[in-house]
Amino acid sequence: MTGTVALVRARSGSFVRVRRRVVVFTASCLVALFVLLTVSLTTGEMRMPAGTALRALAGLGDPGDVLVVQQFRAPRIVAAIVAGAGLGAAGCVLQRLFRNPLASPDVMGVTGGASLGAVALIAARASQTLVPLGALGGGLLAALLLGVFAWRSGLAVTRLVLTGLAVQAGLAAAVNLMIVRFPAELAGSALQWTTGSVYGRTWTEVSGAGGAMVLALAVTLVLHRRLAVLDLGDDSAGALGLRTSAARLQLLFVAVALASLAAAVAGPVTFVALAVPHIVRFVTGPPTAASLGLAGLTGAVLLLASDLVVQHLLPIEGLPVGAVTATLGAPWLLVLMFRQSSPLQRSRA
């Protein structure tokens, strides 16, 4: 009896500590997001005090300040927040769905599909406002290809990952071929977009993707219970009455929609979807429904911070934010692969 009471107390204490960490981490992310937002609004070629920038954001003050803040800086900030939130949540879902810390939209072919859709519209000399729609359609096309190729295997985890890598490689090759064949005046625009950038975003692009992103995040939270059951393994999930293949397909589609909407706003930004789930898991421990919200919040902070680095801390002008995240992602990926291949990790598998 004494042992049972001690166990209950230990578990209760552990739950309280995890909850405290979640609250502190959430508050820290919100404060960081507010600070980054304020810095983004006030810095640039036309500097202004924080109070002036916040009043201009509300449409008050000098018309020139209002124009700069509302039409140039604010859409870029919102684009970074929307894309970061989508990538963070998508990475969290994919890594849990495939039980693989290396799973990300890059692995599943979503970024390749988004790039192909955007580049195809650039090649057709379509309006810049239509390019994000091409990215969204390309990401969904990649998901369709993935589902078709992997369906016969019952959507087994290993087959999905291998199929995703093949789809990504094929789509990336198609993108490179198109860029090589482009006229010189289009090649630069295509290359910048396929690296990932939030430069020049408009309210028309951001508002549509932002509304769809909120809906996709809400659907993800609704489906979290199925994801939690899948965490137990396919055999246990099936014994509990869950149709594992259908549930995995639903969650995969939602994750692809999140990543595709992010790509529609910012292009195929790398590293964020890969790193954010690890950061959240390190802080909060075992995944919960709150982890998905924290992943979205952390992704927004990470991408907005990276965009600030691109704008103000690097000497290279016009560098897309995807170049910074890719530079951070390469060593991170190597570390993850080393940990996965270590004898200790293999013994746990």
Side-chain angles (χ1 to χ4, degrees), residues 311-333:
Q311 293 184 71
H312 307 298
L313 297 183
L314 295 180
I316 305 175
E317 203 171 320
L319 191 68
V321 67
V324 173
T325 59
T327 302
L328 295 173
W332 185 284
L333 181 60

Side-chain angles (χ1 to χ4, degrees), residues 38-52:
T38 303
V39 172
S40 299
L41 288 175
T42 57
T43 55
E45 293 184 5
M46 181 179 174
R47 294 179 176 272
M48 60 185 70
T52 301

Side-chain angles (χ1 to χ4, degrees), residues 128-197:
Q128 281 294 112
T129 58
L130 296 178
V131 172
L133 295 178
L136 177 59
L140 296 176
L141 173 63
L144 178 62
L145 291 174
L146 180 64
V148 169
F149 291 152
W151 181 259
R152 291 184 179 180
S153 65
L155 294 180
V157 172
T158 303
R159 178 62 66 86
L160 275 172
V161 172
L162 293 176
T163 304
L165 287 170
V167 170
Q168 175 72 11
L171 293 173
V175 169
N176 291 333
L177 179 61
M178 292 177 67
I179 291 177
V180 168
R181 303 288 295 178
F182 270 4
E185 66 272 13
L186 295 179
S189 175
L191 282 173
Q192 184 182 32
W193 199 96
T194 55
T195 308
S197 175

